[in-house]
Amino acid sequence: MKKEECFYLGKIVSKFSFKGEVLIKLDTDEPESYVKMESVFVDYNDNLVPFFIERSALHKSDLLRVKFEDVDTEEDADDLMKAEIYLPLTLLPKLEGDQFYYHEVIGFTIIDQTFGEVGIIKSINDSTAQALFEIDHKGTEVLIPMNDEFVEKIDREAKQVFVNTPEGLIDLYL
């Protein structure tokens, strides 16, 4: 399984018990959806390795307490610390209407109500306080906040995202 075929689910953040249990910080608004998983892919030495789950339970709302098969000691769990967890894209629930996953809109064209066609979404920057569309406008990078007030509509068939940005925002980059 390749990373491009998967989505990031979270990261192993700490050990929970001396029997090899770990806590996974989930990157989701619905952690309860992931309690009954049978397996996950762990990014281990730059390879996605399948790990089977013996049992799991929510711990303090957004942490998932997991006991993996064959991870039976603190030392085994230590080896997995800070590892990222992935699942196949096929397991993502389908989103309807104007909701979208970040990976889903890469390559879509951004069209602003006033400016017109802005360019192609190259990536999403979610390392800032507010996620940003990173758009290529004829070789110039344009950043548009992914704000519910700005995103008007998603047309998946035409691969377009329609936005209504504040006056002058796009002009700042051009």
Side-chain angles (χ1 to χ4, degrees):
M1 182 75 47
K2 296 182 184 134
K3 264 192 194 172
E4 301 80 51
E5 300 167 353
C6 296
F7 67 95
Y8 174 78
L9 179 63
K11 186 178 212 166
I12 298 175
V13 292
S14 69
K15 296 178 287 190
F16 185 77
S17 72
F18 61 90
K19 294 181 181 172
E21 287 180 300
V22 296
L23 291 176
I24 299 172
K25 172 93 167 96
L26 297 175
D27 182 29
T28 177
D29 295 335
E30 298 175 4
E32 59 281 352
S33 302
Y34 298 96
V35 172
K36 298 191 184 315
M37 295 182 297
E38 294 177 8
S39 64
V40 294
F41 288 100
V42 176
D43 189 353
Y44 188 76
N45 294 332
D46 289 329
N47 292 308
L48 289 186
V49 180
F51 275 74
F52 294 91
I53 297 172
E54 277 182 23
R55 64 181 177 276
S56 63
L58 280 181
H59 181 79
K60 295 183 181 173
S61 75
D62 65 346
L63 293 174
L64 187 66
R65 180 173 143 192
V66 173
K67 171 63 178 85
F68 289 119
E69 286 181 9
D70 302 323
V71 177
D72 300 314
T73 65
E74 269 190 273
E75 291 74 26
D76 293 343
D78 269 335
D79 207 26
L80 298 174
M81 280 309 103
K82 307 296 179 226
E84 294 181 342
I85 305 296
Y86 292 86
L87 285 176
L89 286 172
T90 53
L91 295 181
L92 274 176
K94 271 279 187 231
L95 294 180
E96 300 296 320
D98 295 333
Q99 292 183 314
F100 58 90
Y101 293 110
Y102 291 173
H103 71 271
E104 183 181 10
V105 296
I106 304 296
F108 279 33
T109 301
I110 288 266
I111 299 169
D112 182 66
Q113 195 170 24
T114 308
F115 184 85
E117 188 173 313
V118 180
I120 305 291
I121 301 171
K122 292 295 175 200
S123 64
I124 305 291
N125 180 344
D126 63 351
S127 63
T128 57
Q130 181 168 27
L132 302 166
F133 289 115
E134 293 183 349
I135 303 150
D136 177 30
H137 175 82
K138 301 175 186 171
T140 303
E141 183 178 66
V142 175
L143 302 174
I144 296 178
M146 291 174 56
N147 183 317
D148 287 344
E149 294 171 28
F150 297 169
V151 178
E152 298 274 308
K153 173 177 122 178
I154 309 287
D155 184 338
R156 286 178 170 82
E157 284 186 28
K159 294 189 176 263
Q160 296 174 324
V161 176
F162 294 88
V163 295
N164 185 8
T165 59
E167 190 176 324
L169 176 71
I170 294 168
D171 297 325
L172 287 173
Y173 296 96
L174 309 177

